[in-house]
Amino acid sequence: MTPWLILAPMTALYAGGAYFLKLYAMSASPLWLAPSFALYLTGNLLYALILRETDLGVAAMASSLAGVVLAALIGRVFLGETLSLVQLIGMAFGLVAMALVLAPVAR
């Protein structure tokens, strides 16, 4: 299986874990920790599968940036959080960087 097919569900799991961790931070109820940890653990298992197929640097870049973008989207949609124009531009630069890192290269 191509590692990039695993990236989408892994990113969704990480972002879901971040969402529940944010709910914990807002409420201090330990009930939010269990789903957060479960999602992070499952996401890390998928990350291990990605690492079997690709370089660490490429995998780390792709998973980190995809997670940042999805977490920001979840923050906006479900928590009403906003990003400044400068932060949005920074995320756009990150996506360009990710595209360059993932671009096929001749070896």
Side-chain angles (χ1 to χ4, degrees), residues 19-101:
Y19 172 73
F20 284 109
L21 201 57
K22 178 67 174 186
L23 291 178
Y24 165 74
M26 291 173 16
S27 71
S29 171
L31 296 176
W32 295 119
L33 289 175
S36 176
F37 292 163
L39 291 169
Y40 279 132
L41 174 64
T42 308
N44 278 321
L45 292 173
L46 292 180
Y47 187 58
L49 294 176
I50 291 173
L51 290 175
R52 286 183 179 176
E53 303 294 326
T54 192
D55 295 338
L56 176 61
V58 173
M61 167 74 92
S63 67
S64 296
L65 288 172
V68 165
V69 170
L70 188 56
L73 183 62
I74 287 172
R76 176 71 184 133
V77 172
F78 295 106
L79 301 171
E81 298 175 347
T82 59
L83 294 172
S84 71
L85 179 60
V86 171
Q87 290 170 321
L88 290 171
I89 291 169
M91 286 178 57
F93 281 138
L95 291 173
V96 170
M98 185 167 73
L100 292 172
V101 168

